[in-house]
Amino acid sequence: NKPEAFETEKIDDKENGLVRVMNPHLASMPEDFLYHFALGTKTHDLQAMFGDVKFVCVGGSANRMKAFGQFIHGELGLNGDSSDIRDICEGTDRYCMYKIGPVLSISHGMGVPSISIMLHELIKLLHHAKCRDVIIIRMGTSGGIGLEPGTVVITGTAVDSFFQPQFEQIILGKVITHSTELDKDLALLLLNCGQEIPDFQTIIGNTMCTHDFYEGQGRLDGALCSFSNKEKQEYLKNAYEAGVRNIEMESAVFAAMCHRCDLKAAVVCVTLLNRLDGDQITTPHEVLVEYQMRPQKLVSRFMKQQLELL
Ligand code: R2B
Ligand code: URA
């Protein structure tokens, strides 16, 4: 029982490539303040600031997303000094945001609640700015299952801790289930880009999204652990058999929210360790830094290809 005008607007937006919101209440609000970005429709000309955005890249760490902005500045051959890029969200310390030509680089913190708050405000921002034909990619880190550390996994399907392709959310005291389908063509395009980079392996696999890094991912090394090593190994084996190749903490809600708003989305994560071999991440810092560049290199190649810079 959604208002008819809302349905009409939704269909039009889909056809002309505009980013749509799925909330009938928004249209009647005199102002929309995106609190965690410190940006608003009354205080900022969002269309002038963001109207030309084509690629949105999100990742957990603020420093990594700043470094990505600087890297992309060089890759796209833009004028000016890449060290001068300014955090658009400097009015808040919740998230950081950099705009580099048609690319927006934003941090989302760790876990489902943190990325979900960011995505609500990001999708509204793209909608208010009248952005068209936007592609959104999460670049992250993860724990691999049965893969050589440093392998890049492009998510085929994001699954929950029961290996199901769904995201469960509690809304008004009821459990609501959303699909976590991602864009298959986009995943294949990204896989091709990965295969053109000889320095590391890239695969497509299912990604399990958990609500915890320790017990929730079957780790034995947290402050609390309620299961045996045998039970852990069995769970990871079952995950592998269900097609899961890596584990992280945001993909399911990212996929679900983008799917509901018809945003073309992908998840590209590097694996930091093979969880069948252990739980602790003791790899040297320089190696981890190089691993974290891998999704960035792959996504940069993809964007340059799309912008016909290659
Ligand atoms: C990957 O790495 C973080 C935990 O270390 C989390 O944000 C994730 O998804
Ligand atoms: N991020 C995760 O969520 N899990 C890992 O094992 C590594 C990075």
Side-chain angles (χ1 to χ4, degrees):
N1 51 353
K2 286 169 191 149
E4 200 181 315
F6 172 59
E7 287 294 337
T8 313
E9 183 192 329
K10 211 173 73 186
I11 291 159
D12 289 351
D13 279 1
K14 188 172 176 175
E15 278 172 4
N16 57 26
L18 285 164
V19 174
R20 65 179 211 204
V21 287
M22 296 293 287
N23 176 359
H25 305 289
L26 276 183
S28 58
M29 279 167 41
E31 175 180 11
D32 188 11
F33 186 60
L34 310 174
Y35 167 66
H36 302 86
F37 288 164
L39 296 171
T41 52
K42 278 256 169 84
T43 45
H44 298 81
D45 183 345
L46 298 177
Q47 193 169 352
M49 291 172 75
F50 300 103
D52 63 342
V53 167
K54 294 292 174 207
F55 302 98
V56 179
C57 301
V58 306
S61 133
N63 281 335
R64 178 155 37 87
M65 296 321 286
K66 180 177 185 183
F68 178 69
Q70 291 170 336
F71 171 62
I72 284 301
H73 189 280
E75 289 282 289
L76 299 184
L78 298 178
N79 292 330
D81 188 348
S82 72
S83 59
D84 286 346
I85 63 170
R86 187 181 71 88
D87 180 5
I88 301 167
C89 294
E90 63 196 357
T92 163
D93 58 4
R94 296 297 186 185
Y95 306 107
C96 73
M97 181 189 291
Y98 300 89
K99 184 171 179 302
I100 312 95
V103 181
L104 205 56
S105 174
I106 311 170
S107 68
H108 58 61
M110 284 192 285
V112 165
S114 183
I115 193 174
S116 128
I117 295 167
M118 192 286 281
L119 286 173
H120 274 282
E121 296 183 16
L122 171 65
I123 294 168
K124 291 197 295 174
L125 182 151
L126 299 172
H127 172 78
H128 293 314
K130 301 201 170 0
C131 296
R132 275 176 204 273
D133 303 319
V134 173
I135 291 177
I136 176 164
I137 304 176
R138 159 167 150 73
M139 302 180 303
T141 58
S142 60
I145 308 185
L147 300 174
E148 187 188 330
T151 303
V152 172
V153 179
I154 296 161
T155 303
T157 304
V159 299
D160 64 13
S161 301
F162 307 99
F163 322 134
Q164 295 304 307
Q166 60 186 35
F167 174 70
E168 280 190 349
Q169 190 181 7
I170 298 166
I171 301 174
L172 304 182
K174 294 192 186 78
V175 180
I176 308 291
T177 304
H178 294 295
S179 157
T180 52
E181 202 179 310
L182 288 159
D183 193 286
K184 296 243 169 351
D185 297 333
L186 178 57
L188 287 173
L189 286 174
L190 289 161
L191 179 68
N192 276 334
C193 291
Q195 286 169 344
E196 286 165 7
I197 309 175
D199 320 15
F200 52 84
Q201 281 282 322
T202 304
I203 62 153
I204 290 185
N206 292 347
T207 298
M208 178 162 77
C209 176
T210 68
H211 292 287
D212 172 44
F213 181 84
Y214 287 96
E215 286 185 289
Q217 294 188 6
R219 277 190 157 79
L220 300 167
D221 63 339
L224 307 138
C225 187
S226 50
F227 47 84
S228 67
N229 184 29
K230 185 165 166 279
E231 287 170 311
K232 163 198 162 173
Q233 294 297 342
E234 214 163 316
Y235 182 65
L236 293 181
K237 186 171 146 269
N238 290 340
Y240 188 89
E241 277 165 11
V244 174
R245 292 295 176 272
N246 66 338
I247 312 175
E248 45 79 272
M249 299 179 64
E250 294 86 14
S251 58
V253 72
F254 172 81
M257 289 180 73
C258 294
H259 182 69
R260 285 172 74 191
C261 294
D262 242 327
L263 264 175
K264 241 186 206 192
V267 180
V268 181
C269 290
V270 69
T271 61
L272 302 182
L273 75 169
N274 178 3
R275 288 297 317 288
L276 301 181
D277 294 341
D279 297 333
Q280 295 250 303
I281 303 174
T282 50
T283 310
H285 178 72
E286 322 79 72
V287 177
L288 291 178
V289 169
E290 195 276 317
Y291 282 177
Q292 291 179 37
M293 277 301 293
R294 294 178 175 189
Q296 300 190 12
K297 282 187 193 161
L298 192 159
V299 170
S300 162
R301 189 175 183 89
F302 167 74
M303 293 191 299
K304 286 201 292 188
Q305 213 173 61
Q306 296 289 305
L307 294 167
E308 297 180 349
L309 294 174
L310 277 185

